[in-house]
């Protein structure tokens, strides 16, 4: 073939609708959603629905509608429509931490640094996440909890905000809502579901308060 007579045509850039989304693309969108729920632009239910859609998205085009009505992090105006989801070169969102218990147990407690996103999965097992001594590196922390014939227990300190949304199918999904008086306090959002199991998120009270509540229950029982 004569290349001079048939010059190679430059390849047109792929449209966002067909560009495959990367993990960095999804994490960047999840970060925008975390900012939005922390600022009160989204409810916990709306945030949970959008985050679920983020991690099911296969193309960049599927991600764009999820943040079209939200400002970029830091209060910037709308993002450019041509390439709004470039991967974050500094990896600000960071990878999710995964806690998995299959016919076993998994525990995270003590003094540890909490990331922006944690996935907890229990199948005939138990996962315990204790945030009472944890260090929060960001204002919003999202925990996606799934329990199937098992349990996921999340304990938080009383000086933060705790929100969540989920479903119990022949099981229990319970998040005790907290609203901190400090507008800069960490916010923990728990999303997920349980099937023949339980997901529970609530504040961990001090021993004195716990003993007092136990005595009161016993007294009322008599």
């Amino acid at each position: 073939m004569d290349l001079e007579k048939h010059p190679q045509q430059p390849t047109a850039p792929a449209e966002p609708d067909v560009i495959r989304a990367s993990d960095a693309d999804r994490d960047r969108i999840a970060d925008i959603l975390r900012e939005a729920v922390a600022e009160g632009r989204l409810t916990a239910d709306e945030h949970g629905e959008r985050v679920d859609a983020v991690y099911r998205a296969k193309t960049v085009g599927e991600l764009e509608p999820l943040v079209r009505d939200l400002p970029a992090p830091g209060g910037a105006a709308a993002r450019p429509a041509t390439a709004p989801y470039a991967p974050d070169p500094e990896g600000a969102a960071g990878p999710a931490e995964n806690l998995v218990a299959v016919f076993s147990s998994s525990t995270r407690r003590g003094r540890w640094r909490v990331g922006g996103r944690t996935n907890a999965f229990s199948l005939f097992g138990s996962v315990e996440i204790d945030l009472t001594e944890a260090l929060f590196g960001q204002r919003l922390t999202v925990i996606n909890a799934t329990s199937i014939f098992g349990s996921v227990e999340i304990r938080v300190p009383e000086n933060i905000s705790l929100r969540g949304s989920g479903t119990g199918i022949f099981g229990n999904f319970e998040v005790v809502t907290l609203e901190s008086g400090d507008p800069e306090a960490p916010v923990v959002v728990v999303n997920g579901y349980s099937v023949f199991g339980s997901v529970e998120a609530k504040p961990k009270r001090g021993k004195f308060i716990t003993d007092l509540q136990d005595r009161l229950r016993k007294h009322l029982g008599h």
Side-chain angles (χ1 to χ4, degrees), residues 97 161 210:
E97 179 171 0
S161 293
T210 302

Side-chain angles (χ1 to χ4, degrees), residues 95-161:
E97 179 171 0
N98 297 309
L99 298 174
V100 179
V102 179
F103 289 96
S104 63
S105 63
S106 179
T107 303
R108 200 75 160 91
R109 64 158 67 101
R111 198 162 183 80
W112 58 291
R113 183 168 294 278
V114 184
R117 182 162 48 91
T118 298
N119 299 320
F121 177 79
S122 171
L123 174 64
F124 289 101
S126 64
V127 175
E128 179 185 351
I129 303 175
D130 190 336
L131 301 174
T132 53
E133 298 180 26
L135 301 174
F136 292 85
Q138 64 290 314
R139 188 180 174 211
L140 181 68
T141 297
V142 177
I143 299 176
N144 299 311
T146 302
S147 173
I148 303 174
F149 289 98
S151 66
V152 176
E153 290 189 13
I154 302 160
R155 295 292 178 265
V156 302
E158 295 183 288
N159 59 345
I160 72 166
S161 293

Side-chain angles (χ1 to χ4, degrees), residues 33-56:
L33 296 176
R34 282 194 288 269
E35 285 283 338
V37 73
E39 294 170 354
R41 299 179 190 275
L42 294 177
T43 66
D45 287 344
E46 290 171 331
H47 176 264
E49 292 173 1
R50 295 197 191 194
V51 166
D52 182 61
V54 165
Y55 291 102
R56 286 189 288 105

